[in-house]
């Protein structure tokens, strides 16, 4: 731990998270926005689904850690939504199980501390023409898993405003020519899509009625009073 202590924002998810610090990625943009205000920590695991994420929660987020995150941004769903293969070798997780897995992930993270907040990113669309056909996916399934994540989070937020959800499916589809501009390979985000993701995250944080606020415009800047250059009299 490097001091002084700052709020910690953890990005937890599959490859959409793992790759978020490259190609003008949304994780890198967040880290830049929060520079000198909060530490943005990457915990991305390419190829993972919600079932695997649930298994490692106590290791990734130990409850006895001396510092707990102020915010965890969670994304799983793309791999879960992939079409099941006959031999059982796919990433697929049934929709009902996925929804409950995400609920358990959210509740576990929320239990880390009284001040820990959670933002879920729902499953985004894909460009079906670009993706590797060996991993069959459809936008119809992506929409179903997106809706399940949104529904689950809305259920949690009715009694606890610490939970927020971002509808990535519709946010991406609102972009003009989204199929051509938002993806590197049909699944992973281009800089255009990353800008959309960051805009939605910043909006969600700014609108949240969290105390203390985690909006970057409200957080103090570390050592702001220590100007490196003094004016010449």
């Amino acid at each position: 731990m490097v001091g002084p202590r700052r709020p910690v924002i953890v990005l937890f998810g599959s490859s959409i998270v793992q790759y978020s610090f490259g190609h003008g990625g949304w994780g890198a943009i967040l880290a830049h926005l929060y520079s000198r205000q909060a530490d943005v920590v990457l915990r991305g695991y390419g190829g993972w689904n919600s079932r695997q994420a649930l298994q490692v929660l106590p290791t990734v987020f130990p409850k006895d850690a001396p510092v707990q995150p102020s915010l965890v941004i969670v994304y799983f769903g793309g791999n879960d939504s992939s079409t099941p293969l006959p031999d059982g070798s796919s990433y697929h997780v049934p929709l009902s199980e996925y929804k409950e897995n995400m609920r358990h992930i959210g509740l576990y993270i929320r239990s880390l501390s009284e001040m820990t907040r959670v933002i879920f990113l729902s499953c985004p669309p894909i460009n079906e023409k670009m993706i590797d056909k060996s991993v069959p996916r459809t936008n119809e399934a992506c929409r179903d898993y997106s809706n399940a994540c949104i529904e689950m989070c809305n259920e949690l937020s009715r009694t606890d405003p610490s939970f927020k959800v971002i509808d990535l499916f519709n946010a991406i589809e609102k972009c003009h020519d989204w199929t051509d501009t938002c993806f590197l390979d049909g699944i992973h985000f281009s800089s255009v899509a990353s800008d959309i993701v960051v805009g939605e995250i910043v909006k969600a944080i700014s609108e949240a009625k969290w105390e203390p606020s985690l909006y970057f415009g409200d957080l103090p800047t570390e050592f702001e009073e220590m100007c490196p250059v003094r004016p010449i009299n």
Side-chain angles (χ1 to χ4, degrees), residues 47-49 52 79-83 89-93 135 137:
W48 279 31
N49 56 31
Q52 292 164 300
N79 293 319
D80 301 68
S81 71
S82 61
T83 304
S89 62
S90 75
Y91 305 111
H92 176 73
V93 172
V135 184
R137 299 187 183 188

Side-chain angles (χ1 to χ4, degrees), residues 20-85:
S20 68
F21 272 59
H23 306 286
W26 60 275
I29 298 171
L30 279 179
H32 175 70
L33 284 177
Y34 280 91
S35 62
R36 293 180 66 177
Q37 295 180 319
D39 291 327
V40 178
V41 179
L42 183 67
R43 290 295 181 269
Y45 305 93
W48 279 31
N49 56 31
S50 62
R51 189 181 293 160
Q52 292 164 300
L54 195 59
Q55 293 171 357
V56 303
L57 277 177
T59 303
V60 177
F61 299 102
K63 290 195 173 185
D64 60 352
V67 177
Q68 295 293 357
S70 297
L71 172 63
V72 181
I73 300 175
V74 180
Y75 169 75
F76 292 97
N79 293 319
D80 301 68
S81 71
S82 61
T83 304
L85 299 177

